[in-house]
Structures are given as structure tokens and as C-alpha cells.
Amino acid sequence: MNIDRLEASMREINEFGGTPEGGITRLAYTAEHWAATRYFMKQCEEQGMSVRIDACGNVIARRPGLVSNLPAVACGSHLDTVQQGGRFDGTLGVMAGLELVRGLNERGIATRHPIEVISFACEESARFGVSTVGSKAMAGKLNRASLERLHDKEGISFEEALSAVGLDVNRIESSRRSGKELKAFFELHIEQGPVLEESGIDVGIVAGIAAPARLEITIQGRASHSGTTPMTMRKDALIGAAEIILELERAALAESSSGTVATAGVCDVRPGAMNVVPDQVMLQVDVRGTKKSSRQAVIERIYGVMSRLELERGLRSEVRVLSDEEPVLLDNRTADLLAEQCERLGVSHVRMMSGAGHDAMNMAALCPTGMIFVPSKGGLSHHKDEYSATSQIARGAFLLEAAVLKCAEAVSDESKDAIITLNRGHQHESGKAKGIV
Amino acid sequence: MNIDRLEASMREINEFGGTPEGGITRLAYTAEHWAATRYFMKQCEEQGMSVRIDACGNVIARRPGLVSNLPAVACGSHLDTVQQGGRFDGTLGVMAGLELVRGLNERGIATRHPIEVISFACEESARFGVSTVGSKAMAGKLNRASLERLHDKEGISFEEALSAVGLDVNRIESSRRSGKELKAFFELHIEQGPVLEESGIDVGIVAGIAAPARLEITIQGRASHSGTTPMTMRKDALIGAAEIILELERAALAESSSGTVATAGVCDVRPGAMNVVPDQVMLQVDVRGTKKSSRQAVIERIYGVMSRLELERGLRSEVRVLSDEEPVLLDNRTADLLAEQCERLGVSHVRMMSGAGHDAMNMAALCPTGMIFVPSKGGLSHHKDEYSATSQIARGAFLLEAAVLKCAEAVSDESKDAIITLNRGHQHESGKAKGIV
């Protein structure tokens, strides 16, 4: 692997959707996302890989293995971004996979198992409000009917968006793959959080991916004049909301040994005038954890405050569950393999939970899945200033390479004869292995 | 006084600006407000009053007194409303003044002092963001320069709005009157709060008018991913805001013996997304009291929390003072006079503070001023469902009449001779006393 070349090709692909403000805007299935996707496909073809695109828009670029019919070892991530997103989220994992293959070709390293580099479509919820669509489709977790009501902000339906890039929503279920096709999946990604940077550890080995329970809490009080209503005669919905917000923090802190976190990110106050006691507040709350029981413990405490608000303040509140996803635990043995490779490479590492969702959580339903985090500066992501240093990227990318090679059973590059044999094998298998030395 | 007739003429004047939604919209100086103003002027002229309109749009309708050169006893309120306002706020005080004169004319009661009924212009801040403009102008408290930057939501300047109803902003300072012209001013108004209704007391005698101190507090945190940022690594601006909101309530409760109240009515969260820890919250806070020291005690406690948020949570916050008005205490002897009349009439009463601002607070700078509150159903005001029952209105209106007659030194209607004399006196003084029997 050549880290300079990896960074150069990340700069190149980030020309697509680059904005004057400095962020990258490649919303799923837009012209920008698709231009980046085509660029990636072309690069893979130049490396002699067989490249196909499925009905959901996932790109699967395959480097053949020595032994026919063995399941592939896959790696990858996504090329779509949020509005004004960063240069690393998703892109790093896809381009590192490409660079991994370039490096193998350059050094003439063959593997017994095929290697796949996958660019998943529509990982970000930024356009249609649903995330990891491509990997859900691949893992057979996509509810076809749920796609029908999806529209972006401009009113374009999911079906129309697919159609605009030549895909057919009616064939989307054909994206589903069998677990038998894959031996393992690895995703290299930036952490998007502050833990690695603050602890000074090189990489995170993801043990599980937290899933959010999302609640919308509506607190109903009574509007009254801010000047004429004595404090004891008020039903102030914003005071109720403040109690919930603080209890949410206390509850999550009590569960912090499980890594559960809770956030009130939306707080809409009605009528929202300085001279009126608020009569209604809508809070949107996100509770995440890899332990469902811990997440539930936080939610129970919210219900507890709600009862208290009704008794003590006459504030009624209602909860609407917006989502309640299952946390995903990643494969232990795959994590052990990553840890062993860290030891071998001298890369410091820590097992950690991912608070954000990733394609890896869907791939885990198909095959043993491992996920590698590299530090994010300031924990920042979905932002133009998203940044991971070259040395940090390098450690993650080398770890990815080591894990993929171990898992795909690389044939040592020490043996010239073997390489020749391999190359023949490749040419035989794919008929396109021109890039392999 | 004829309460049925008072209610009938309130219904009539509320045709101006009545909306299909049921609220009344007579924003200051609009066609609707002006139509109501002209209706009121016409009614006053029909009662033989001399009617003039000053440069600010205040209508002063005068019923002459028996003795020349005595200062007038005035009463009144305002005819402008908020958007979708109620049928009583302001309108009651103006129309009760008109009905008072009608009743005196009908019964042939004369007074030694002239009686004025005043309709103040632009009492509500709903159109230009400043309240009690007319009474400020009359009391010489209007800052002419401050009017220059005022615009309504449609971009119409204060000057243009005045001009549209034939008034000249350059003459606005001529609205100022001397205290020598007035013996007293009385304002009958709905409470706009729940105190009278909940206590079952007939009327409130206003002892003082609280003034708001208004603060805009901006709390600066750090945006981060709601899933990937451990609870202990957050700088959540909304949690800071919640602490301020709850402390505000505790502080106001601690000052409740002084009648001080505090409200956070606006809470704007940025970026306001479920998956992002809020980085900035803007709170707008209204603290009111008739004791400045008590109001200040509440504000000091807010500053206390702000310091604690910086120390304990790394949240910086800033305060911008939006307004800091002086509370007004009304004249004690005038309140005593109202209380005496209550006793005489068998009307239960309580001295209370007004949390809302009123024209009376400006008139208090000109002459001894009294204010009468009648109960508001549910404390509701600035709302289409604003309501006070006929019997409640009647008690307030009779009290107003009794106080005005006492103060204006009515000559008993028992004496026919006196009445004839009075009528002659009126005709002599005004030349228009055709309405007086």
C-alpha cells in the first residue's frame, strides 16, 4: 500500500461534489455521487478487477482468488456524503480498499480467496431519511415497501432517484447476496467521535454498533401571559422539557459503563414568544447503546420524569417512538484477528463501540464482520473540517490490508514462482488481470 | 350606566377587525383600527362631547365640567389589538368610558370637573414592537428618534403608518400634555391573568405595574455526534439551557412574595438535529416585578448558573439585555378612593400588581392614576377566547363610574334645578351639549 497514492486518489475523488464552502456534497444517487462512483469503477477496472453494479447501486469490484469457488473477503464503505460533509467519512474505506488492491497488484501478491472492494450506495440518511440502504439491500434487510414513500427535499422519489442513474427499484431485491459468497467483511472508517484522539490510541476495533432508539416527546402545558401569571399558577411546558433534558443526562451517565449515550437534539417551543408561558414543547431524543437493556433503562427514567411532571406540574406528555433499532454485536473472532494484526504491526488499539451506524452492521448479518476506526480530529464528522492525519490513516489502512491478506490467505510475495503461478491463475479466472505484475 | 348597552356597543366596535377565525385584528394605525377609532369618535360626538385627535392618534373626548378651568378627570384605554386578539383587552376601558358619559347624559348628571374619555393609540407592541406609544407621547416619555427605525412586518415605517391615517410624525411631540390638565386618570381593563378568577374576587385595584427586564442568553457548546460522543466528553448547550430554565423558576419562586415572575419563552437550538449534540442555544427570558431589587435578585441567580456552567461544563454563555424598564407604582390615594367605592358598592376587591404594561403606567407620570382589573376567564388574553362575564364587567364599570363621579365631583341627580343649571353651564362651556337632557 502506498499511503501517498491513497491520499492522492482521495483528493481526486473528492473533486466530485466539492463545494466552494469546503465541504463535500455527494448526496446518494445524485450526479456528484454517481460521477464519484464511476471514477471508482474505472480505477478498479484499471486494476484488473471485475466490476459490477447491483440494482441498488452498490459497486462490487472483485479481484479473483487462486482457488475457484472460495468465498470472497470483502472490504469497503460508501462514497455518498451528507450535505457539506467531510472528505473521509465513507470515502476512506472505499479508496483504501482500492489502494489495497493496487498494492497487491504492484507487489504481485495473490490470495487464495477473492478480494472484493465494495462501495455501498446510500449509506447516509441525508437525502431520503434512511441510512445504509445499499448494505441493507445486500444483506436482505431492506423493506421494499418502505422505500415507496421516500422523497428527498425536492420531492424526488427514491424510485426516480434510482432511475436517474439507470437503476430499477423493481429489481432492488436482486441486490441480496448469500452469506456463502463472503468469508468476511472489513470496514475501515473514521471514528467520528473523540475517544481515540483523546486517549491517544492508534485504532479502534469495533466490538458492536449501537443502534438508536429515537423518541419524540410532546409536553403539553398551558399558555399564559408571562407577566400576569404567578409562578405557582403556571403549566410551563419548557420547564417540563428542561427536567426531561437533565434527567436524560443523569440516566445516560448512570449507564455509561455500558457506553449508552442519550441526547436531546431538538427542542421546539410553542408559541415561542418572550411574553407567553410556553404551552407546548416537542423534544426529539436519541438514546444509543449496544446493550438494549441499558438503553431501555434510560428510556424508563424518561417515563419516570414524565409521570412526575404530570403529578407535580399538571403537564401531560406523550411519547412517539420514531425508531427502535437493534444494536449489532460484531464477530469476536474477527475482532481478535484484527487485534492480532495490530500486535504484529505495532499499532495500539482498543475495543470500542460505535455510536454511529455503518454498513458493517448490515454486513454482519451476512458474514463475520470487522470494523476499524481511525481517529477523527476533534471528533468532528459530517463537516468540512473532518480530518484524520496521514499517519493515522496509514495505520488503519495497513491494518485493513493485513487483516484482508490474512483472511484471504495471501501467498507470500517472497516467492517469485508463486507469483507467476498466481498471475496465470488470475488471468485464467477473470480474463482481465492485466494490472497484475 | 347601562351594561347591556355597553356590551352592545362593544359588539359593534368589534365588527372592525373581526376575523373569520374569531379573533380581532386591529393593529395600530391600520384601516381596521382607524375605522374603530372613527366609530368611537362619532359616538362621543353624539353624546355632545368635544372630540379631538392628537398628533400621535390619541382621541380625547371631553365632557365639560361645571366650573371652568378645573382639571379633567380622565378615563380610557386603547382600541388597537394584537393579531387575532380578544374582544376586551383595551376595548372595554374605552367603551366603558363612553357608556359612563352616556349614562350621565341620560340621567342629567353634571360634574364640577370635566370628564375625558381617552382612546390611546398604539398600545400593543404587535405592529411595531413598541407598546403604549400613545400614552408615552401624552406623558412626554416618547423618544422621537427611537421611532425612526421602527417598521412593521411588511416594511411600513412608523412614519408611513401615521401618515396613512392623516397624522404627522413631525408633530408627535405636540401630543404631550401637562399634568395640570388632569386631576386623575382611571383605566378599566381585564386582568389578563388568572388571579381574580381563581380567588373569586370581583375586582383588582392595581397597586403597581411590573416592568420587564428582558435578557437574551446565548449558550455556546460544541457540536458532536450524538452516537459517538461519550457523555463525559460533551459540551451540550441544551443541557446548559435546561439548567438555566430550572434555576430561573427556582429564583422567581424565591421572590414570589414580591410578585416577581420569570419566564423563558424562547429556546432556539442549533443545529437542531436529533443526531447532533446541540452547540448553541439562544434563550429569551422575561423577568418582571414591581420591585427592581427583587427582579435583580432573579437576574443575579441566572448569572450564577452561567458561571457554574462555564466551570463545570465548559459552556460559555453571553447575556444581551433587550430591555430593562422601570416598574411603576400607582398612586396610593387613588387606590384608596377605588377601595372606598368598592366598599360602598359591595364589590369585593384586592390590591394587586399588574404583570403586563398598560397606558396607566405612563399616565401615572402626569396625574394620580388608578387602575381597575376585572377577571379574565382562564387568565386568557391576546386570544380569541378572551372573556369576562357580563356581571364581572358590570362590577368593574360601576366602580369606574363611581370613582370618576367621586373624583369629578358630581352634582346629584336628585336636584332638578341643579340639572338645569348644569345643562346651561355645559352649553355655555362647550356649545355642543345637545346630548345632555
Side-chain angles (χ1 to χ4, degrees):
Chain A
M1 269 184 131
N2 179 334
I3 300 303
D4 288 343
R5 190 167 55 195
L6 167 57
E7 291 197 316
S9 58
M10 286 182 71
R11 277 193 296 275
E12 262 181 59
I13 202 162
N14 279 329
E15 295 288 318
F16 303 108
T19 69
E21 294 85 355
I24 312 288
T25 301
R26 284 196 301 263
L27 296 180
Y29 306 122
T30 57
E32 294 75 20
H33 177 214
W34 228 243
T37 300
R38 295 206 172 284
Y39 168 89
F40 167 68
M41 291 169 75
K42 185 160 169 287
Q43 297 289 313
C44 290
E45 282 161 3
E46 285 179 9
Q47 291 305 314
M49 302 173 88
S50 60
V51 180
R52 69 182 179 92
I53 188 157
D54 71 12
C56 192
N58 298 313
V59 175
I60 300 146
R62 189 175 171 104
R63 183 181 193 256
L66 289 178
V67 181
S68 44
N69 296 326
L70 287 186
V73 174
C75 66
S77 193
H78 59 96
L79 291 173
D80 64 317
T81 71
V82 300
Q83 193 85 32
Q84 292 294 332
R87 315 176 78 79
F88 299 85
D89 177 3
T91 306
L92 172 63
V94 176
M95 301 310 277
L98 168 63
E99 177 54 33
L100 189 162
V101 171
R102 275 196 196 120
L104 298 186
N105 288 350
E106 213 165 48
R107 286 178 289 157
I109 300 175
T111 53
R112 286 168 51 80
H113 292 262
I115 293 174
E116 286 182 3
V117 183
I118 304 179
S119 162
F120 292 102
C122 198
E123 194 268 350
E124 300 287 359
S125 61
R127 185 167 183 194
F128 289 105
V130 288
S131 60
T132 67
V133 174
S135 51
K136 277 197 185 96
M138 194 174 285
K141 296 167 106 185
L142 196 65
N143 181 345
R144 164 89 174 74
S146 71
L147 300 174
E148 275 165 25
R149 52 181 174 73
L150 300 182
H151 287 82
D152 68 8
K153 282 181 184 158
E154 272 134 37
I156 299 169
S157 71
F158 187 82
E159 176 171 356
E160 287 163 344
L162 279 192
S163 174
V165 294
L167 303 172
D168 178 4
V169 78
N170 296 311
R171 292 190 53 253
I172 207 161
E173 278 154 353
S174 70
S175 303
R176 182 171 190 165
R177 297 179 73 177
S178 155
K180 290 179 189 156
E181 299 175 39
L182 296 165
K183 183 180 180 191
F185 173 75
F186 293 94
E187 182 167 5
L188 172 66
H189 204 282
I190 58 167
E191 181 197 343
Q192 306 181 273
V195 176
L196 292 174
E197 184 186 59
E198 300 216 359
S199 60
I201 295 174
D202 294 334
V203 303
I205 297 172
V206 178
I209 296 173
R214 287 179 166 173
L215 310 179
E216 185 174 289
I217 306 170
T218 306
I219 304 137
Q220 187 64 52
R222 189 178 57 201
S224 57
H225 192 295
S226 68
T228 61
T229 318
M231 297 307 288
T232 52
M233 292 189 187
R234 297 179 173 212
K235 291 186 182 177
D236 186 328
L238 184 55
I239 291 182
E243 292 208 11
I244 290 174
I245 291 164
L246 294 181
E247 179 69 5
L248 195 63
E249 186 194 36
R250 282 188 293 268
L253 283 169
E255 293 295 323
S256 60
S257 63
S258 305
T260 299
V261 290
T263 311
V266 175
C267 177
D268 285 345
V269 180
R270 280 200 345 197
M274 229 187 312
N275 60 346
V276 185
V277 175
D279 72 332
Q280 195 180 82
V281 174
M282 189 272 283
L283 284 179
Q284 285 184 347
V285 164
D286 175 307
V287 186
R288 301 199 193 198
T290 46
K291 266 197 202 167
K292 252 197 133 174
S293 58
S294 164
R295 215 174 67 179
Q296 198 53 35
V298 172
I299 293 171
E300 293 299 332
R301 282 182 62 167
I302 299 177
Y303 282 102
V305 193
M306 284 168 53
S307 304
R308 203 155 47 72
L309 291 177
E310 178 146 15
L311 278 171
E312 293 174 8
R313 294 185 179 274
L315 294 169
R316 279 180 303 109
S317 32
E318 277 179 15
V319 169
R320 196 159 68 91
V321 176
L322 302 177
S323 67
D324 187 10
E325 292 177 16
E326 288 293 326
V328 173
L329 290 177
L330 296 186
D331 184 60
N332 258 331
R333 282 165 309 169
T334 310
D336 290 344
L337 181 149
L338 285 168
E340 283 159 25
Q341 297 303 318
C342 284
E343 299 295 336
R344 201 172 66 79
L345 297 170
V347 168
S348 64
H349 57 98
V350 63
R351 303 260 174 141
M352 65 188 291
M353 298 297 172
S354 169
H358 293 288
D359 290 312
M361 71 190 180
N362 297 318
M363 294 304 283
L366 277 184
C367 62
T369 292
M371 184 155 195
I372 304 163
F373 275 170
V374 295
S376 299
K377 186 176 175 190
L380 208 62
S381 184
H382 288 183
H383 192 281
K384 68 179 175 61
D385 296 332
E386 186 180 87
Y387 179 72
S388 302
T390 303
S391 61
Q392 294 170 323
I393 288 174
R395 290 193 185 91
F398 284 126
L399 174 58
L400 176 73
E401 180 184 53
V404 167
L405 289 185
K406 176 79 181 171
C407 205
E409 298 172 30
V411 178
S412 161
D413 56 343
E414 303 305 315
S415 159
K416 282 238 170 189
D417 291 349
I419 291 167
I420 292 158
T421 317
L422 307 185
N423 288 348
R424 283 201 197 113
H426 280 175
Q427 279 160 348
H428 177 72
E429 194 183 354
S430 74
K432 311 175 80 173
K434 59 193 180 227
I436 300 179
V437 180
Chain B
M1 267 181 132
N2 179 333
I3 300 303
D4 289 343
R5 189 167 57 194
L6 167 59
E7 291 198 316
S9 59
M10 286 181 72
R11 277 194 297 277
E12 262 182 60
I13 203 163
N14 279 329
E15 295 288 317
F16 303 108
T19 69
E21 294 86 355
I24 311 288
T25 301
R26 285 197 301 260
L27 296 179
Y29 306 122
T30 57
E32 294 76 18
H33 177 214
W34 227 242
T37 300
R38 293 205 174 285
Y39 168 89
F40 167 68
M41 290 169 76
K42 186 160 169 287
Q43 297 290 313
C44 290
E45 282 162 2
E46 285 178 8
Q47 291 304 316
M49 302 173 87
S50 60
V51 180
R52 69 182 180 92
I53 188 157
D54 72 11
C56 191
N58 299 312
V59 175
I60 300 145
R62 189 176 170 105
R63 182 180 193 259
L66 289 178
V67 181
S68 46
N69 297 326
L70 286 186
V73 174
C75 66
S77 192
H78 59 97
L79 291 173
D80 65 319
T81 72
V82 301
Q83 194 85 32
Q84 291 294 329
R87 313 177 79 79
F88 299 86
D89 177 2
T91 305
L92 172 62
V94 176
M95 299 311 276
L98 168 62
E99 177 54 34
L100 189 162
V101 170
R102 275 194 196 120
L104 298 188
N105 288 349
E106 216 165 48
R107 288 178 286 155
I109 300 177
T111 52
R112 286 171 49 82
H113 291 261
I115 292 174
E116 287 183 3
V117 184
I118 305 178
S119 163
F120 293 103
C122 198
E123 195 270 350
E124 301 288 359
S125 61
R127 185 168 183 192
F128 290 105
V130 287
S131 60
T132 65
V133 174
S135 51
K136 278 195 185 97
M138 194 175 286
K141 294 167 108 185
L142 197 66
N143 181 344
R144 164 88 174 76
S146 71
L147 300 174
E148 275 167 23
R149 52 182 175 73
L150 300 181
H151 286 81
D152 68 9
K153 281 179 183 158
E154 273 135 37
I156 299 170
S157 70
F158 187 82
E159 177 171 355
E160 287 163 345
L162 278 192
S163 173
V165 293
L167 302 172
D168 177 4
V169 77
N170 296 312
R171 291 190 52 252
I172 206 162
E173 279 154 351
S174 70
S175 303
R176 181 170 191 168
R177 296 178 74 177
S178 156
K180 289 179 191 156
E181 299 175 38
L182 296 165
K183 183 180 180 192
F185 174 75
F186 293 93
E187 183 166 5
L188 171 66
H189 204 282
I190 59 167
E191 182 198 343
Q192 304 181 277
V195 175
L196 292 175
E197 184 185 58
E198 301 217 358
S199 60
I201 295 174
D202 295 332
V203 303
I205 296 172
V206 177
I209 296 172
R214 287 179 165 172
L215 310 178
E216 184 174 289
I217 305 170
T218 306
I219 304 138
Q220 187 64 52
R222 189 177 56 200
S224 57
H225 193 294
S226 68
T228 62
T229 318
M231 296 308 288
T232 52
M233 291 188 186
R234 297 177 172 213
K235 291 186 183 176
D236 186 329
L238 184 54
I239 292 182
E243 293 209 10
I244 291 175
I245 291 164
L246 294 182
E247 180 69 6
L248 194 64
E249 187 193 35
R250 282 189 292 269
L253 282 169
E255 293 294 324
S256 60
S257 64
S258 304
T260 299
V261 290
T263 311
V266 175
C267 175
D268 284 346
V269 180
R270 281 198 347 195
M274 230 187 313
N275 60 345
V276 184
V277 175
D279 73 331
Q280 195 178 80
V281 173
M282 188 273 282
L283 285 179
Q284 286 184 345
V285 164
D286 175 308
V287 185
R288 300 200 193 196
T290 44
K291 264 198 202 165
K292 252 196 133 175
S293 60
S294 164
R295 215 173 67 179
Q296 197 53 35
V298 172
I299 293 170
E300 292 299 332
R301 283 181 63 166
I302 299 177
Y303 281 104
V305 194
M306 286 168 52
S307 305
R308 202 155 48 72
L309 291 177
E310 178 145 16
L311 278 170
E312 293 173 9
R313 295 187 178 271
L315 294 169
R316 280 180 301 108
S317 33
E318 278 179 13
V319 169
R320 196 159 68 90
V321 176
L322 302 177
S323 67
D324 187 9
E325 292 177 18
E326 289 291 328
V328 173
L329 290 177
L330 297 186
D331 184 61
N332 258 329
R333 281 167 309 171
T334 310
D336 290 345
L337 180 150
L338 286 168
E340 284 159 23
Q341 297 304 316
C342 283
E343 299 294 336
R344 200 171 67 80
L345 297 169
V347 167
S348 65
H349 57 98
V350 63
R351 302 260 173 141
M352 64 188 293
M353 297 297 172
S354 169
H358 292 288
D359 291 310
M361 73 190 178
N362 298 318
M363 294 305 284
L366 278 184
C367 61
T369 291
M371 185 154 194
I372 304 162
F373 275 170
V374 294
S376 298
K377 187 177 174 189
L380 208 63
S381 183
H382 288 185
H383 191 282
K384 68 179 174 62
D385 297 332
E386 184 180 270
Y387 180 73
S388 302
T390 303
S391 61
Q392 295 170 323
I393 288 175
R395 290 192 186 89
F398 284 125
L399 174 59
L400 176 73
E401 180 186 52
V404 167
L405 289 186
K406 175 80 182 172
C407 204
E409 300 172 29
V411 177
S412 161
D413 56 342
E414 304 303 315
S415 158
K416 283 236 171 190
D417 290 349
I419 292 168
I420 292 160
T421 317
L422 307 184
N423 288 347
R424 283 204 196 110
H426 281 173
Q427 281 162 344
H428 176 73
E429 195 181 350
S430 75
K432 308 175 85 176
K434 58 192 177 220
I436 300 179
V437 180

mmCIF file of all heavy atoms in Angstrom, chain B residues 375-394:
data_model
loop_
_atom_site.group_PDB
_atom_site.id
_atom_site.type_symbol
_atom_site.label_atom_id
_atom_site.label_comp_id
_atom_site.label_asym_id
_atom_site.label_seq_id
_atom_site.Cartn_x
_atom_site.Cartn_y
_atom_site.Cartn_z
ATOM 1 N N PRO B 375 -61.986 40.148 36.202
ATOM 2 C CA PRO B 375 -61.432 38.806 35.954
ATOM 3 C C PRO B 375 -61.428 38.429 34.473
ATOM 4 O O PRO B 375 -62.304 38.829 33.713
ATOM 5 C CB PRO B 375 -62.395 37.881 36.720
ATOM 6 C CG PRO B 375 -63.064 38.746 37.727
ATOM 7 C CD PRO B 375 -63.170 40.092 37.088
ATOM 8 N N SER B 376 -60.408 37.673 34.083
ATOM 9 C CA SER B 376 -60.304 37.102 32.733
ATOM 10 C C SER B 376 -60.517 35.612 32.858
ATOM 11 O O SER B 376 -59.813 34.949 33.633
ATOM 12 C CB SER B 376 -58.895 37.296 32.173
ATOM 13 O OG SER B 376 -58.578 38.649 32.046
ATOM 14 N N LYS B 377 -61.416 35.070 32.072
ATOM 15 C CA LYS B 377 -61.660 33.624 32.131
ATOM 16 C C LYS B 377 -60.382 32.860 31.779
ATOM 17 O O LYS B 377 -59.774 33.101 30.719
ATOM 18 C CB LYS B 377 -62.766 33.255 31.143
ATOM 19 C CG LYS B 377 -63.178 31.807 31.278
ATOM 20 C CD LYS B 377 -64.306 31.452 30.355
ATOM 21 C CE LYS B 377 -64.560 29.950 30.440
ATOM 22 N NZ LYS B 377 -65.497 29.521 29.406
ATOM 23 N N GLY B 378 -59.984 31.979 32.669
ATOM 24 C CA GLY B 378 -58.775 31.178 32.436
ATOM 25 C C GLY B 378 -57.510 32.022 32.340
ATOM 26 O O GLY B 378 -56.474 31.521 31.913
ATOM 27 N N GLY B 379 -57.595 33.284 32.717
ATOM 28 C CA GLY B 379 -56.423 34.150 32.626
ATOM 29 C C GLY B 379 -56.026 34.476 31.201
ATOM 30 O O GLY B 379 -54.971 35.049 30.946
ATOM 31 N N LEU B 380 -56.907 34.096 30.273
ATOM 32 C CA LEU B 380 -56.574 34.163 28.853
ATOM 33 C C LEU B 380 -56.676 35.581 28.298
ATOM 34 O O LEU B 380 -57.644 36.281 28.535
ATOM 35 C CB LEU B 380 -57.554 33.257 28.102
ATOM 36 C CG LEU B 380 -57.100 32.635 26.799
ATOM 37 C CD1 LEU B 380 -55.922 31.696 27.055
ATOM 38 C CD2 LEU B 380 -58.245 31.854 26.176
ATOM 39 N N SER B 381 -55.693 35.957 27.507
ATOM 40 C CA SER B 381 -55.752 37.242 26.817
ATOM 41 C C SER B 381 -54.949 37.156 25.528
ATOM 42 O O SER B 381 -54.240 36.184 25.298
ATOM 43 C CB SER B 381 -55.205 38.343 27.721
ATOM 44 O OG SER B 381 -55.321 39.597 27.100
ATOM 45 N N HIS B 382 -55.079 38.171 24.684
ATOM 46 C CA HIS B 382 -54.411 38.157 23.373
ATOM 47 C C HIS B 382 -54.825 36.889 22.617
ATOM 48 O O HIS B 382 -54.007 36.227 21.993
ATOM 49 C CB HIS B 382 -52.882 38.232 23.507
ATOM 50 C CG HIS B 382 -52.420 39.587 23.928
ATOM 51 N ND1 HIS B 382 -51.091 39.927 24.027
ATOM 52 C CD2 HIS B 382 -53.110 40.712 24.261
ATOM 53 C CE1 HIS B 382 -50.981 41.186 24.423
ATOM 54 N NE2 HIS B 382 -52.187 41.683 24.578
ATOM 55 N N HIS B 383 -56.099 36.595 22.699
ATOM 56 C CA HIS B 383 -56.601 35.323 22.184
ATOM 57 C C HIS B 383 -58.093 35.514 21.898
ATOM 58 O O HIS B 383 -58.775 36.238 22.612
ATOM 59 C CB HIS B 383 -56.393 34.244 23.252
ATOM 60 C CG HIS B 383 -56.617 32.849 22.765
ATOM 61 N ND1 HIS B 383 -57.874 32.326 22.596
ATOM 62 C CD2 HIS B 383 -55.736 31.889 22.402
ATOM 63 C CE1 HIS B 383 -57.759 31.080 22.159
ATOM 64 N NE2 HIS B 383 -56.469 30.787 22.020
ATOM 65 N N LYS B 384 -58.568 34.806 20.876
ATOM 66 C CA LYS B 384 -59.977 34.957 20.502
ATOM 67 C C LYS B 384 -60.936 34.540 21.630
ATOM 68 O O LYS B 384 -62.070 34.986 21.672
ATOM 69 C CB LYS B 384 -60.287 34.169 19.222
ATOM 70 C CG LYS B 384 -60.215 32.659 19.363
ATOM 71 C CD LYS B 384 -60.553 31.980 18.045
ATOM 72 C CE LYS B 384 -60.364 30.481 18.106
ATOM 73 N NZ LYS B 384 -61.232 29.803 19.096
ATOM 74 N N ASP B 385 -60.467 33.677 22.528
ATOM 75 C CA ASP B 385 -61.338 33.204 23.608
ATOM 76 C C ASP B 385 -61.264 34.046 24.875
ATOM 77 O O ASP B 385 -61.844 33.677 25.899
ATOM 78 C CB ASP B 385 -61.028 31.732 23.941
ATOM 79 C CG ASP B 385 -61.315 30.814 22.760
ATOM 80 O OD1 ASP B 385 -62.191 31.168 21.940
ATOM 81 O OD2 ASP B 385 -60.662 29.761 22.642
ATOM 82 N N GLU B 386 -60.567 35.163 24.788
ATOM 83 C CA GLU B 386 -60.524 36.114 25.903
ATOM 84 C C GLU B 386 -61.975 36.418 26.334
ATOM 85 O O GLU B 386 -62.815 36.707 25.496
ATOM 86 C CB GLU B 386 -59.842 37.375 25.353
ATOM 87 C CG GLU B 386 -59.575 38.486 26.321
ATOM 88 C CD GLU B 386 -58.890 39.640 25.563
ATOM 89 O OE1 GLU B 386 -57.658 39.655 25.492
ATOM 90 O OE2 GLU B 386 -59.611 40.499 25.016
ATOM 91 N N TYR B 387 -62.248 36.347 27.629
ATOM 92 C CA TYR B 387 -63.643 36.517 28.052
ATOM 93 C C TYR B 387 -63.763 36.994 29.493
ATOM 94 O O TYR B 387 -63.067 36.516 30.390
ATOM 95 C CB TYR B 387 -64.401 35.186 27.901
ATOM 96 C CG TYR B 387 -65.843 35.261 28.304
ATOM 97 C CD1 TYR B 387 -66.770 35.923 27.498
ATOM 98 C CD2 TYR B 387 -66.275 34.688 29.494
ATOM 99 C CE1 TYR B 387 -68.102 36.014 27.880
ATOM 100 C CE2 TYR B 387 -67.614 34.770 29.886
ATOM 101 C CZ TYR B 387 -68.527 35.434 29.068
ATOM 102 O OH TYR B 387 -69.840 35.515 29.449
ATOM 103 N N SER B 388 -64.655 37.945 29.674
ATOM 104 C CA SER B 388 -65.070 38.322 31.022
ATOM 105 C C SER B 388 -66.594 38.362 30.996
ATOM 106 O O SER B 388 -67.181 38.883 30.040
ATOM 107 C CB SER B 388 -64.520 39.706 31.393
ATOM 108 O OG SER B 388 -63.110 39.705 31.306
ATOM 109 N N ALA B 389 -67.219 37.829 32.028
ATOM 110 C CA ALA B 389 -68.680 37.724 32.046
ATOM 111 C C ALA B 389 -69.321 39.098 32.256
ATOM 112 O O ALA B 389 -68.686 40.013 32.797
ATOM 113 C CB ALA B 389 -69.112 36.776 33.155
ATOM 114 N N THR B 390 -70.557 39.206 31.844
ATOM 115 C CA THR B 390 -71.297 40.476 31.973
ATOM 116 C C THR B 390 -71.277 40.995 33.404
ATOM 117 O O THR B 390 -71.024 42.178 33.652
ATOM 118 C CB THR B 390 -72.760 40.266 31.520
ATOM 119 O OG1 THR B 390 -72.738 39.775 30.183
ATOM 120 C CG2 THR B 390 -73.546 41.566 31.570
ATOM 121 N N SER B 391 -71.518 40.090 34.370
ATOM 122 C CA SER B 391 -71.580 40.545 35.766
ATOM 123 C C SER B 391 -70.208 41.053 36.230
ATOM 124 O O SER B 391 -70.114 41.988 37.036
ATOM 125 C CB SER B 391 -72.028 39.395 36.666
ATOM 126 O OG SER B 391 -71.084 38.337 36.567
ATOM 127 N N GLN B 392 -69.153 40.448 35.691
ATOM 128 C CA GLN B 392 -67.804 40.892 36.067
ATOM 129 C C GLN B 392 -67.499 42.262 35.456
ATOM 130 O O GLN B 392 -66.939 43.144 36.111
ATOM 131 C CB GLN B 392 -66.768 39.855 35.605
ATOM 132 C CG GLN B 392 -66.925 38.510 36.332
ATOM 133 C CD GLN B 392 -66.092 37.403 35.728
ATOM 134 O OE1 GLN B 392 -65.926 37.329 34.500
ATOM 135 N NE2 GLN B 392 -65.571 36.535 36.578
ATOM 136 N N ILE B 393 -67.893 42.411 34.190
ATOM 137 C CA ILE B 393 -67.704 43.694 33.524
ATOM 138 C C ILE B 393 -68.502 44.769 34.246
ATOM 139 O O ILE B 393 -68.024 45.882 34.481
ATOM 140 C CB ILE B 393 -68.172 43.580 32.049
ATOM 141 C CG1 ILE B 393 -67.178 42.735 31.266
ATOM 142 C CG2 ILE B 393 -68.337 44.961 31.426
ATOM 143 C CD1 ILE B 393 -67.645 42.478 29.837
ATOM 144 N N ALA B 394 -69.729 44.413 34.634
ATOM 145 C CA ALA B 394 -70.613 45.395 35.284
ATOM 146 C C ALA B 394 -69.977 45.932 36.561
ATOM 147 O O ALA B 394 -69.950 47.145 36.793
ATOM 148 C CB ALA B 394 -71.962 44.741 35.596
#
